[in-house]
Amino acid sequence: MSDKQNIHLILFTILSSIVFIFSSSNCVSGLAQPLHALVAPITKDLKTSLFSITLNIHEKYVIDLGGPFLWYRCPKKYPTVPCASPACSSVKPYLSPLCPSLKSESRAHCKCVVTPVNPVTNKCSLAHLSHKDLSISWTNGSTPATSIAKFKKQYVSCAPQSLLNSLPVGVSGMAGLSRSLISVSSQFMSPKMKIKKQFSVCLPSSDSAPGVMFFGDGPFRMVPPTPADILSFLAYTSLVKKPKSADYYINLKGINVNNNKVVSLGVGGNGGVKLSTVVPYTTLSSPIYKPVFKAFVKATNGIPRAPRVIPFKYCLNTTNLGSTRVGLPVAPIDLVLGNGGNWTIFGANSMKQVSDDVACLAFVDGGPKAKQPVVLGSFQIENNFLSFDLEKSRLGFSSSLFFIRTTCGNFNFKGEMWG
């Protein structure tokens, strides 16, 4: 982790610690205008390309958009949840087939069993549903506020130490943000606290400054030169639900490369894109990847090639290529969405710089039998602002924030004054 990021997080931690001492309930008191949004920093681990949110001042949890709950290594003695509880019933649809079959227990002493999964290793464990206190900062949308929201007895899952394998060093577990009723986002979006059913994710592209996550409604502002509400720059498309899945999907009608249609997936799109923060690069099934690959190669045939770098199939020599505000000057890739709008992916999110003079097309061939036709990976959504509006069942997306001269690392966690 860089010195600059350490400074950001140390200042944020000091501010949060001071506030934590004086905050003792979920309700905010003494504020002229009540706050209705929460904020937490997002850090990127360069070794794993995973992103973590900070809760309870210093605990880090890897973000998983499709995870049904938060899981962590519980203490030796921990509270359990009865099988007959509503919380246990709500999580049953998300029991993972990766785990061994559940053993029946006496109903008189039945403890709720859940199946936490590490999506990086595809390992699963049988564990108990428990609960844990969680805290997070309030925000006015521009800086963290001088109040902490404390959520008592939030439902979480225990997990063995082995499930943390392949995750960033120092993380406590994983934080699920799915539609599940006991996901972190669902439990934070509290009507009692007037927090709207909406959360926003802005992933940083480096470890030099943290990105940001919001729970609730805006306005949300980054430091100058972009003082406007980030939500005002978003386009929207419908979120799609799929049976027995807690993941978020959007409809995809086709893909264009360099403004030319290369893939058509039908009129409605049929929930063709799964959004992921644990898959590092967008993965396409082979029938989709091949025409996209072919069209991109054709559109960049004037640029010298470089030897391929696993897992990528196509790399370019960028020594004399130059750059634009939105990354390398290569052909844009458009996701043509179900509502007719386009999510345009420019060079900053389509080309992975693997060395000083080599960059590779950061799309991966998932094979002919890929479970999902398109999984939009985290590299493609870095420095994009995504807002999951669950009340209206829609996704707001900005495309690259470089267009408006800001990044996901520009939220004012330090609380500095700007004039």
Side-chain angles (χ1 to χ4, degrees):
M1 185 181 293
S2 68
D3 290 342
K4 185 176 179 181
Q5 187 187 25
N6 279 330
I7 292 171
H8 276 280
L9 293 179
I10 288 170
L11 288 169
F12 176 71
T13 300
I14 292 172
L15 175 63
S16 299
S17 299
I18 294 171
V19 172
F20 189 82
I21 294 172
F22 295 101
S23 177
S24 59
S25 71
N26 282 353
C27 301
V28 177
S29 60
L31 295 174
Q33 294 182 342
L35 302 174
H36 304 303
L38 309 169
V39 67
I42 297 174
T43 53
K44 179 177 182 178
D45 179 69
L46 297 183
K47 183 178 180 180
T48 62
S49 295
L50 294 172
F51 299 83
S52 301
I53 182 176
T54 301
L55 301 173
N56 290 357
I57 300 178
H58 58 80
E59 296 174 2
K60 289 187 176 182
Y61 297 90
V62 174
I63 297 167
D64 181 7
L65 281 175
F69 41 67
L70 180 149
W71 61 258
Y72 81 117
R73 187 182 181 189
C74 290
K76 290 184 178 180
K77 294 184 179 181
Y78 58 87
T80 57
V81 176
C83 290
S85 68
C88 190
S89 299
S90 75
V91 82
K92 284 183 179 178
Y94 308 115
L95 293 175
S96 174
L98 296 173
C99 265
S101 299
L102 303 179
K103 295 180 180 179
S104 60
E105 295 186 57
S106 167
R107 297 300 297 179
H109 304 286
C110 182
K111 300 174 183 178
C112 184
V113 175
V114 290
T115 53
V117 174
N118 179 331
V120 178
T121 60
N122 279 327
K123 298 296 183 182
C124 177
S125 176
L126 295 177
H128 287 130
L129 189 64
S130 183
H131 48 75
K132 171 183 173 69
D133 294 348
L134 297 174
S135 63
I136 183 173
S137 289
W138 288 100
T139 182
N140 59 8
S142 298
T143 63
T146 55
S147 296
I148 292 287
K150 298 174 70 176
F151 293 83
K152 301 289 188 180
K153 295 185 177 180
Q154 300 298 285
Y155 290 109
V156 299
S157 168
C158 295
Q161 178 66 33
S162 60
L163 212 60
L164 293 167
N165 291 345
S166 298
L167 299 185
V169 175
V171 301
S172 299
M174 298 196 76
L177 299 173
S178 72
R179 298 176 184 273
S180 162
L181 294 179
I182 62 169
S183 70
V184 173
S185 48
S186 293
Q187 294 187 89
F188 278 177
M189 295 181 294
S190 166
K192 178 181 178 181
M193 300 169 71
K194 298 183 178 180
I195 300 174
K196 183 180 177 182
K197 291 184 178 180
Q198 176 177 323
F199 69 93
S200 302
V201 177
C202 203
L203 302 182
S205 58
S206 73
D207 63 352
S208 61
V212 61
M213 177 174 289
F214 298 104
F215 298 92
D217 200 3
F220 303 129
R221 295 182 172 86
M222 302 299 188
V223 296
T226 310
D229 179 10
I230 293 294
L231 296 179
S232 67
F233 295 100
L234 305 187
Y236 289 88
T237 192
S238 297
L239 285 168
V240 179
K241 293 182 180 179
K242 288 197 173 184
K244 297 183 180 180
S245 174
D247 289 291
Y248 296 101
Y249 296 85
I250 55 176
N251 286 325
L252 180 71
K253 293 198 299 185
I255 299 177
N256 298 343
V257 175
N258 209 25
N259 299 316
N260 297 312
K261 182 186 293 185
V262 298
V263 174
S264 180
L265 297 175
V267 177
N270 195 31
V273 177
K274 173 183 169 180
L275 303 169
S276 176
T277 49
V278 294
V279 173
Y281 306 106
T282 291
T283 303
L284 311 175
S285 64
S286 292
I288 297 175
Y289 179 85
K290 289 177 180 178
V292 171
F293 176 83
K294 183 178 179 180
F296 193 84
V297 170
K298 180 180 179 180
T300 55
N301 61 7
I303 304 172
R305 291 197 184 192
R308 62 172 294 190
V309 177
I310 296 175
F312 311 118
K313 290 186 177 182
Y314 183 62
C315 300
L316 300 174
N317 186 313
T318 60
T319 304
N320 300 312
L321 190 55
S323 63
T324 70
R325 185 188 298 180
V326 288
L328 294 173
V330 295
I333 299 173
D334 288 309
L335 304 181
V336 183
L337 304 178
N339 64 348
N342 285 2
W343 183 339
T344 304
I345 300 172
F346 297 97
N349 295 104
S350 66
M351 300 295 293
K352 171 69 173 179
Q353 199 78 41
V354 296
S355 69
D356 290 342
D357 55 3
V358 175
C360 302
L361 177 64
F363 287 72
V364 177
D365 187 345
K369 297 182 179 180
K371 292 182 179 180
Q372 304 294 335
V374 179
V375 178
L376 193 64
S378 59
F379 181 78
Q380 276 64 46
I381 59 178
E382 289 178 355
N383 289 314
N384 284 235
F385 193 96
L386 303 186
S387 181
F388 294 78
D389 186 339
L390 303 186
E391 287 187 359
K392 297 181 179 179
S393 193
R394 63 178 186 170
L395 173 74
F397 59 95
S398 66
S399 190
S400 177
L401 291 178
F402 293 162
F403 260 129
I404 56 174
R405 299 182 183 277
T406 193
T407 71
C408 289
N410 274 0
F411 184 72
N412 187 11
F413 278 110
K414 295 185 291 184
E416 294 178 348
M417 299 297 294
W418 299 88

